[in-house]
Amino acid sequence: MNRILLASAFLLVNISAAFADGISSVVPAAVGSISAMVSPAPRVPAPKLVEPHLHIARSNVAGHARIALTFDACMGQADERILSTLVRERIPATIFVTARWLKRNPAALAVFLQNPDLFELENHGQNHIPAVDTPTLVYGIASAGSPQAVRQEVEGGAAAMVAAGIPAPHWFRGSTAKYDLSAIGEIRAMGYRIAGYSVNGDGGSLLGAVITEKRIASAKDGDVVISHINQPTHAAGEGVAKALVDLKAKGTEFVRLEDVEDTGDDKTTE
């Protein structure tokens, strides 16, 4: 009986060892296959973004600087501090409007349309989405993400302008004023010039009144200034209004983009 038990135990040990060897030869391969199946996808590199500069033809007259004031009307309400100063002082400017802003500000739009000698209205997009044709975040805002979405942002903004009684636009400035190079090519192929700038007047309307006034008042011959006309509760608007008066007192010549030759980098105006 003892011999039978010993033989059975010996047989069981050998079977277990063989089974273990078989498992050990299979498990690593299986684990490797599973790891390959669940390994993270390769990271897609962030697109290279550019923030184009734009300059206008200089007057080249001492004490008589020529600058172009441009204002973005992204969302929100019209800043009457700025708008009333432009009208009262008869200062021309180029206003980039979104479809969203147009819907909320019919009274300000009426002022623009009643003063065609002062205001050139141009395209800031349909929904204020960065004109970048690959998925990314720009200042926390999701980009359009595809060539089709970039086209919709541009065409949707233009359609809203025409529907509101505004002449068809010729310039486009995307949300955040940043683009990837392929989107620039796509927008240019649609027939638009892309509006960069050379002086950031109000830091996205987030700067204080004093620093905003100093930045804009420092504009030189040939500069294109960007500021915002859609944040009436921000301190920056007060600084913008004061800077306009300061510049006029210096004898500055104000022009709209449509009235003068310009030069933009990154093939934005070629």
Side-chain angles (χ1 to χ4, degrees), residues 194-212:
I194 297 174
Y197 60 90
S198 58
V199 175
N200 186 338
D202 63 359
S205 83
L206 299 178
L207 297 178
V210 174
I211 185 64
T212 296

Side-chain angles (χ1 to χ4, degrees), residues 53-84:
H53 292 92
L54 180 68
H55 288 86
I56 58 171
R58 299 175 180 177
S59 73
N60 291 320
V61 177
H64 186 76
R66 175 189 293 150
I67 70 169
L69 298 172
T70 69
F71 293 93
D72 288 358
C74 312
M75 295 167 281
Q77 302 295 328
D79 191 332
E80 290 295 334
R81 296 169 298 182
I82 300 172
L83 181 55
S84 62

